[in-house]
Amino acid sequence: MAAAKKAVLGPLVGAVDQGTSSTRFLVFNSKTAELLSHHQVEIKQEFPREGWVEQDPKEILQSVYECIEKTCEKLGQLNIDISNIKAIGVSNQRETTVVWDKLTGEPLYNAVVWLDLRTQSTVENLSKRIPGNNNFVKSKTGLPLSTYFSAVKLRWLLDNVRKVQRAVEEDRALFGTIDSWLIWSLTGGANGGVHCTDVTNASRTMLFNIHSLEWDKELCEFFEIPMKILPNVRSSSEIYGLMKAGALEGVPISGCLGDQSAALVGQMCFQDGQAKNTYGTGCFLLCNTGRKCVFSEHGLLTTVAYKLGRDKPVYYALEGSVAIAGAVIRWLRDNLGIIKTSEEIEKLAKEVGTSYGCYFVPAFSGLYAPYWEPSARGIICGLTQFTNKCHIAFAALEAVCFQTREILDAMNRDCGIPLSHLQVDGGMTNNKILMQLQADILYIPVVKPSMPETTALGAAMAAGAAEGVGVWSLEPEDLSAVTMERFEPQINAEESEIRYSTWKKAVMKSVGWVTTQSSESGDPSIFCSLPLGFFIVSSMVMLIGARYFSGIP
């Protein structure tokens, strides 16, 4: 019997989408932007101490290989010839920091994740060395001094991990964000792997001058980072190297964008003033400011949006960053156990249709934009005996929407022209209750593309458009029209404002919970001074709470 004929679809482009919660590989038709197939693997997060968040770089790399192989198998089942995949783009969780041995290819420590708080005392000590009238760190990088960014994570590794110190001394160490680790590994690793990053990821390290588009000597000296371990900075769209193993061996890796920049490209926000909000582990609102850096007066970041080719201009963006969005759903699932799957949150919230006065501020890693308040911690307030797990589920969804309202208000004040609607994307946008809540709380329409995988799409577009690949046109007339779903506000403006003002009251109660000592030391001896009664009462409260919220009678 003759073999089934392979479908001819024209050039295809693959995209690695390596996020905080999962890794995916997706394949798109470069002429229609249609998603043909994908595979996803969840990634473990490790919490060795309070405030610490780590991941295994080898697990991340293995998940990429697994996703590529499984997606290629699925394409084969669809009779789609994988030899049509002409390029691969990489999109990644930003700021997460890896140091590895260039001779063996082995990581020298776990990846320190962007959410990690262990560097708070480092930040406080460094901030004392910045003159009040000359914040050269912010003026060069667009970023506030914060635990969020890579430089202080790298500083911690250099100060505390002997294997890292020795590798630097012996000229064996390489540093990179997740994109660098993946591209180096996929292009050969210890056998000639390419050590590079793109301008969007470099702009999140706090070591990169966003004006000159180079690693900054003064910043590296300030953070005491040896420049020899840094990757080469390239544009977001050019051939970096070829895949050296697996089903796609020989295919060029030719696109690289931090996940939020990738979503901006995937949403086709190429014009000054266009904005998008991505709902992932965190929540990130980016507004394209064109070829000029705009510095915020209201707690937003200035960042590189993209540079789509070696000889193409750089574009900038204002960004509002929220640490905890989808992560709060994962917390309700993994830590409290009130849902078994992330999708169940919508069902629980729908049962009650209100939080019944319960407000949830998920400041697990402090507060990011617009507050930049590391002393904050998560709180649930407004509880009564009537409150149950459904109300808490609803309050968790509302929290995502309220946080978006805060960064949207800041964006409107900085830009001077309020957004008339909000373009959204990311996994959480499949939750219709969340999308309706967001429209109600913003009191503007929320517009969602029918294909929400815009982060991967952006990386694929950058890869396919690269010089030497040339299978994806980014000319406005060639970009595919996208069908949208629209959510209109359904409550009156007064009710929206009352709920928002109560939320802000809750936020103020979350601030000032921790000092540097308690958040950073992780010292178990502090518990020795606490009376036994403290533990008995705490245990009873936790047990009763767990039974109550999980619905156990």
Side-chain angles (χ1 to χ4, degrees):
M1 187 173 169
K5 191 176 178 185
K6 296 282 186 183
V8 180
L9 294 168
L12 311 179
V13 179
V16 173
D17 181 3
Q18 204 301 297
T20 316
S21 302
S22 69
T23 299
R24 290 178 296 174
F25 185 69
L26 305 91
V27 174
F28 297 90
N29 183 326
S30 67
K31 299 305 175 194
T32 64
E34 178 191 1
L35 174 60
L36 300 175
S37 188
H38 75 284
H39 188 75
Q40 179 169 354
V41 172
E42 192 165 303
I43 298 293
K44 291 190 195 77
Q45 293 180 38
E46 299 174 28
F47 307 97
R49 294 189 189 182
E50 185 202 344
W52 292 30
V53 190
E54 298 178 1
Q55 291 179 324
D56 179 354
K58 291 174 78 172
E59 182 194 347
I60 289 173
L61 177 61
Q62 188 52 46
S63 72
V64 170
Y65 279 121
E66 181 182 341
C67 287
I68 289 173
E69 298 302 310
K70 297 283 189 188
T71 303
C72 288
E73 286 174 19
K74 291 176 183 179
L75 289 170
Q77 291 163 8
L78 295 168
N79 284 330
I80 296 171
D81 192 343
I82 62 170
S83 68
N84 283 327
I85 298 175
K86 303 301 182 189
I88 295 169
V90 174
S91 162
N92 58 287
Q93 53 171 309
R94 304 168 302 170
E95 300 97 16
T96 296
T97 298
V98 188
V99 180
W100 67 94
D101 187 318
K102 67 183 177 185
L103 301 182
T104 66
E106 289 293 308
L108 297 168
Y109 192 78
N110 272 344
V112 182
V113 176
W114 57 278
L115 286 164
D116 188 281
L117 292 176
R118 76 187 68 184
T119 54
Q120 186 52 40
S121 69
T122 307
V123 167
E124 288 173 10
N125 291 333
L126 287 167
S127 66
K128 292 170 189 167
R129 292 169 44 200
I130 298 175
N133 60 350
N134 178 25
N135 189 340
F136 64 94
V137 174
K138 187 168 186 184
S139 63
K140 288 185 175 203
T141 66
L143 310 173
L145 196 56
S146 165
T147 60
Y148 181 17
F149 307 107
S150 311
V152 288
K153 301 178 193 300
L154 179 53
R155 183 69 258 147
W156 186 91
L157 291 168
L158 291 166
D159 287 339
N160 292 281
V161 182
R162 183 65 192 128
K163 282 168 73 175
V164 171
Q165 295 164 355
R166 199 176 300 123
V168 171
E169 290 160 8
E170 296 171 6
D171 202 24
R172 292 182 287 111
L174 295 178
F175 153 78
T177 42
I178 294 295
D179 56 304
S180 299
W181 163 244
L182 292 179
I183 291 172
W184 184 83
S185 300
L186 296 172
T187 57
N191 299 310
V194 178
H195 187 216
C196 68
T197 187
D198 90 300
V199 289
T200 69
N201 281 295
S203 77
R204 312 297 293 193
T205 60
M206 256 189 335
L207 300 170
F208 185 72
N209 188 313
I210 61 174
H211 310 285
S212 66
L213 302 183
E214 295 172 327
W215 298 122
D216 190 282
K217 190 168 183 291
E218 184 185 14
L219 290 170
C220 290
E221 287 172 356
F222 176 71
F223 290 105
E224 299 178 78
I225 304 296
M227 295 183 79
K228 65 183 180 181
I229 72 173
L230 303 178
N232 292 318
V233 182
R234 312 274 284 270
S235 78
S236 309
S237 178
E238 60 179 274
I239 295 174
Y240 312 112
L242 306 179
M243 289 283 291
K244 285 291 161 57
L248 298 181
E249 185 177 349
V251 175
I253 300 174
S254 54
C256 179
L257 290 152
D259 51 8
Q260 303 314 318
S261 289
L264 195 73
V265 171
Q267 285 265 30
M268 300 174 206
C269 295
F270 294 126
Q271 302 301 313
D272 192 339
Q274 288 186 305
K276 66 88 208 171
N277 197 40
T278 300
Y279 300 78
T281 298
C283 202
F284 302 90
L285 176 65
L286 267 71
C287 180
N288 189 330
T289 62
R291 299 187 195 183
K292 61 184 183 296
C293 280
V294 175
F295 283 86
S296 173
E297 300 292 325
H298 302 96
L300 304 181
L301 311 177
T302 303
T303 198
V304 174
Y306 52 81
K307 185 179 189 293
L308 295 173
R310 260 182 291 203
D311 302 320
K312 296 291 173 66
V314 64
Y315 283 76
Y316 296 95
L318 273 175
E319 174 176 325
S321 317
V322 169
I324 303 294
V328 75
I329 313 305
R330 188 167 175 162
W331 182 82
L332 290 174
R333 184 193 72 185
D334 296 347
N335 292 42
L336 287 196
I338 70 171
I339 51 173
K340 288 189 174 64
T341 66
S342 298
E343 291 70 33
E344 279 180 47
I345 192 85
E346 185 171 10
K347 184 180 168 207
L348 281 185
K350 194 173 185 179
E351 280 184 35
V352 287
T354 174
S355 65
Y356 204 78
C358 171
Y359 286 79
F360 188 165
V361 183
F364 302 155
S365 295
L367 290 168
Y368 282 17
Y371 300 100
W372 298 106
E373 182 49 76
S375 73
R377 285 297 179 272
I379 64 167
I380 303 175
C381 53
L383 297 174
T384 70
Q385 285 184 306
F386 184 71
T387 310
N388 62 32
K389 63 182 180 180
C390 298
H391 298 118
I392 288 175
F394 196 95
L397 295 181
E398 276 192 319
V400 175
C401 301
F402 285 130
Q403 290 179 103
T404 298
R405 167 76 186 265
E406 291 191 304
I407 53 176
L408 185 76
D409 283 357
M411 189 80 73
N412 286 339
R413 288 198 293 273
D414 276 327
C415 296
I417 306 168
L419 290 177
S420 59
H421 66 276
L422 183 66
Q423 288 177 233
V424 299
D425 58 77
M428 289 186 82
T429 61
N430 290 324
N431 186 322
K432 290 194 184 318
I433 286 184
L434 178 72
M435 292 295 94
Q436 187 55 57
L437 269 175
Q438 190 66 87
D440 290 345
I441 287 166
L442 296 180
Y443 212 66
I444 58 172
V446 168
V447 180
K448 172 196 159 191
S450 55
M451 198 287 292
E453 303 295 349
T454 53
T455 301
L457 178 61
M461 289 165 68
E467 186 180 345
V469 178
V471 298
W472 204 308
S473 171
L474 299 183
E475 295 301 319
E477 63 272 16
D478 295 328
L479 294 173
S480 304
V482 180
T483 55
M484 297 283 193
E485 187 175 0
R486 192 176 174 95
F487 296 85
E488 299 281 350
Q490 290 183 353
I491 63 172
N492 63 54
E494 186 181 0
E495 184 186 344
S496 180
E497 290 304 316
I498 290 169
R499 283 158 69 174
Y500 183 47
S501 64
T502 311
W503 157 263
K504 290 179 89 71
K505 194 161 68 172
V507 169
M508 288 302 103
K509 294 189 184 301
S510 77
V511 172
W513 278 88
V514 290
T515 61
T516 303
Q517 287 74 24
S518 63
S519 67
E520 186 137 346
S521 66
D523 183 357
S525 67
I526 61 168
F527 295 106
C528 297
S529 62
L530 295 172
L532 179 62
F534 171 87
F535 294 103
I536 295 170
V537 172
S538 298
S539 300
M540 288 173 66
V541 168
M542 290 170 70
L543 180 62
I544 293 165
R547 291 172 66 88
Y548 186 62
F549 291 134
S550 61
I552 299 170

